[in-house]
Amino acid sequence: MTHAWAAPATSAADVLTVFTPGIERFDYFRLGDRIRQGLADPAEIVHGEGCGHVAIPHDDHVDYLHDGHRHAAHDGHYDER
């Protein structure tokens, strides 16, 4: 699955991410860095059975409650709502 962080294979990517007001996401970004370094499995960042978040059945799919907001599956990634 292609992740939203993926750069085209022929180019590098510089990323600036800003969350306002301050949302505690340090563990999430640490995991992203560990995945980038090959120290963690990309599957650790994907929601699913046993991921530790509350599953919310929604129409024909399952959304997940994460840090007080809902992650909704959309085109291979999750939208925050």
Side-chain angles (χ1 to χ4, degrees):
M1 168 173 45
T2 301
H3 194 278
W5 295 352
T10 58
S11 67
D14 292 325
V15 178
L16 170 64
T17 304
V18 178
F19 290 106
T20 59
I23 300 172
E24 293 191 27
R25 299 291 176 148
F26 297 116
D27 290 338
Y28 180 76
F29 288 116
R30 286 183 184 116
L31 176 57
D33 191 49
R34 289 179 52 235
I35 291 169
R36 183 187 61 78
Q37 294 177 49
L39 302 174
D41 186 337
E44 292 182 49
I45 212 162
V46 179
H47 288 298
E49 186 176 332
C51 72
H53 298 111
V54 175
I56 304 168
H58 186 259
D59 296 331
D60 62 347
H61 63 280
V62 176
D63 294 342
Y64 293 88
L65 188 61
H66 184 266
D67 290 337
H69 54 270
R70 185 169 50 95
H71 283 185
H74 178 250
D75 289 335
H77 66 275
Y78 290 90
D79 293 334
E80 292 191 17
R81 298 187 178 161

